[in-house]
Amino acid sequence: MIVSPLRCSLAPVATAAFAALLAGCSPKVVDEVTDTAIGHDSGDTSTAEDTGDVDTGVLTGVHGTVEGTVYLQLYTTDEGGDMVLMDWDETYGGYPFGSVFVAAYSADDDGYQSFYDQHVITSPTVSPAPGGDPYGLDIDVDDLDSVNIFATVDYVGDGIIGTGEPTGAHPNEVTVTSNGTVNEVDITVMVPWAGSGGGGGSGCTDVVDISGTASVSSSWTDGDLAAMLFDTNGAGPYTGVRVSPTATSDGAEAAYDLPVCANYGDYQLLGAWNSDGNGLFDPADTWGSYVIDDSTDGNPISIREESLPDHDILIPFGEYRPAVVPFVSISGTLTSSEDWSAYSEVYVAALKYRPQGDTSVGELKEGYDIMEWSTAELATDTALEYHVEVPANTIIYLWAYADIDGDGILNEVSDPVASLKNSTGRTVTGSTSQSGQDLQLTVP
């Protein structure tokens, strides 16, 4: 049996910002995970053409291949809080973080995520700029009309895809039928600069042990197991240990020992099996939980001054897995100082970068999410309700544009615009959804 630690920090932290990840030994965590329903139908769904003799008027599932490129963009922020792009070679002399996990998924009304295929980029290409690495996902599911595609960086480089990792997603849901192929489903992940400081110690004066047996109760041929602590909101892991199991008559098992700070608090003790064989503990793997018996979940556990032996983990157990695609929504009402009939098209877009000067509709569609209204829709509305989905705990630029002449070029002279909160539209997304973020289109 091989035992290896997955975290070097034992002290609990509570932070909602990505800054919590920027120290060399910081835990991967957001303060809370309260909105993990992912994907927003913006009206611009990427669709492959049917290649077989089927009724194209009725979708019968998602069947085919999704291909694209994942780009990683390093950034920091200036004194005003605006995003400043950085060069990987000039900053680090290359790429210093872990693998990139790419997956196709859907989320139900409760935020539970189902995964349909995954791809791992073990050595991301970041130079010469813009770098980028291709991926391909084969999807075969009957009961969906579309899927979402995202990518997450193993920022700490410990082989776990946690809830606080830098994440990017294709802005539109993707549909492919009749074993066709959708191309150019590209994703950009904004990766924060980790700074020049080193990691810190745990700060523990007293350590207790959580120990027990992690068991796989289904057919097992290969793949390590992990025991990990997540907070009661589902964020984490805060700490964990990887173990190499041995086969049993009905699966596999391994003893584990997880040291943590005394008086750590209340946590969920979870387990995972690297069942997809990609070397990462990720949301597409098989997950389980600490159990009192084979049918009773023992979480949450209370970590105080005494060690906790006999805390056995059963994999699989229940339907829980970390929601590692933490998106939140920003919504509000868009009004105009002019009559809507003067406009050809209206757009609200959540952008990765601060827009400068004239902007094309194509550039808007490279952002996180976009909504658009045509002339016919504008003729019947006096106010427009908008709703965009964006990554949690990052910086976005939220803008609204009206296209007067219908040429697809926005922010021209006399084109009305609006930006959220300030003249740049810069918004820190935080860990919870934001409503009531109203905008009014005016001519600058």
Side-chain angles (χ1 to χ4, degrees), residues 92-422:
Y92 290 115
Y95 176 76
F97 303 119
S99 298
V100 177
F101 176 76
V102 189
Y105 72 99
S106 66
D108 64 18
D109 291 341
D110 295 323
Y112 181 78
Q113 298 162 353
S114 298
F115 292 82
Y116 307 105
D117 197 17
Q118 53 83 27
H119 178 97
V120 173
I121 302 167
T122 56
S123 300
T125 303
V126 294
S127 60
D133 295 280
Y135 75 88
L137 302 172
D138 295 321
I139 303 164
D140 187 15
V141 57
D142 290 327
D143 56 354
L144 295 173
D145 289 345
S146 59
V147 294
N148 296 280
I149 312 296
F150 81 102
T152 299
V153 173
D154 179 13
Y155 194 72
V156 177
D158 62 355
I160 307 174
I161 301 299
T163 61
E165 308 280 14
T167 298
H170 187 66
N172 305 310
E173 295 176 338
V174 177
T175 293
V176 53
T177 59
S178 301
N179 295 316
T181 299
V182 177
N183 296 305
E184 299 181 357
V185 183
D186 297 340
I187 301 168
T188 298
V189 183
M190 306 301 295
V191 182
W193 176 52
S196 58
S202 69
C204 289
T205 56
D206 295 302
V207 175
V208 297
D209 291 300
I210 306 169
S211 60
T213 299
S215 302
V216 175
S217 60
S218 58
S219 178
W220 177 91
T221 57
D222 196 12
D224 285 348
L225 311 181
M228 296 171 279
L229 289 182
F230 288 72
D231 70 22
T232 54
N233 291 314
Y238 283 74
T239 188
V241 63
R242 178 192 299 257
V243 292
S244 181
T246 57
T248 63
S249 59
D250 57 356
E253 66 179 27
Y256 78 89
D257 189 299
L258 180 60
V260 297
C261 292
N263 297 306
Y264 207 53
D266 294 338
Y267 285 83
Q268 297 184 81
L269 175 59
L270 303 177
W273 165 32
N274 181 215
S275 54
D276 55 21
N278 63 9
L280 296 175
F281 290 105
D282 59 63
D285 282 325
T286 304
W287 286 76
S289 176
Y290 160 55
V291 293
I292 297 174
D293 53 50
D294 288 349
S295 62
T296 305
D297 195 326
N299 283 309
I301 64 173
S302 183
I303 304 170
R304 302 305 176 196
E305 297 180 354
E306 302 293 332
S307 291
L308 300 175
D310 302 320
H311 275 52
D312 295 338
I313 295 171
L314 181 62
I315 306 169
F317 184 86
E319 293 188 346
Y320 181 81
R321 64 163 66 95
V324 300
V325 196
F327 273 51
V328 296
S329 65
I330 299 177
S331 60
T333 301
L334 176 64
T335 56
S336 173
S337 61
E338 305 292 332
D339 191 281
W340 290 112
S341 62
Y343 307 148
S344 173
E345 303 278 345
V346 170
Y347 305 88
V348 173
L351 306 174
K352 298 182 179 79
Y353 315 115
R354 178 179 175 179
Q356 302 286 343
D358 293 353
T359 300
S360 71
V361 174
E363 289 174 311
L364 298 188
K365 292 183 177 181
E366 294 175 356
Y368 291 114
D369 202 358
I370 182 173
M371 293 191 73
E372 54 188 283
W373 295 266
S374 65
T375 302
E377 293 169 311
L378 296 173
T380 60
D381 292 313
T382 57
L384 305 174
E385 301 299 323
Y386 80 87
H387 174 107
V388 291
E389 299 285 345
V390 294
N393 301 306
T394 193
I395 296 171
I396 66 161
Y397 296 86
L398 187 67
W399 282 73
Y401 297 92
D403 187 356
I404 293 179
D405 54 16
D407 64 353
I409 304 300
L410 312 171
N411 201 29
E412 297 178 293
V413 176
S414 300
D415 276 351
V417 298
S419 58
L420 184 63
K421 296 186 178 181
N422 53 63

Side-chain angles (χ1 to χ4, degrees), residues 27-104:
K28 306 184 203 182
V29 58
V30 293
D31 187 46
E32 59 180 343
V33 178
T34 58
D35 187 341
T36 56
I38 314 302
H40 172 61
D41 185 1
S42 62
D44 183 17
T45 300
S46 302
T47 306
E49 294 183 1
D50 290 329
T51 58
D53 185 13
V54 297
D55 180 0
T56 58
V58 179
L59 291 173
T60 57
V62 183
H63 305 282
T65 301
V66 177
E67 297 178 342
T69 302
V70 177
Y71 301 95
L72 305 182
Q73 176 60 63
L74 185 66
Y75 77 93
T76 187
T77 54
D78 61 18
E79 294 180 354
D82 280 319
M83 186 177 293
V84 178
L85 304 185
M86 304 177 74
D87 181 86
W88 287 100
D89 284 342
E90 292 178 359
T91 306
Y92 290 115
Y95 176 76
F97 303 119
S99 298
V100 177
F101 176 76
V102 189

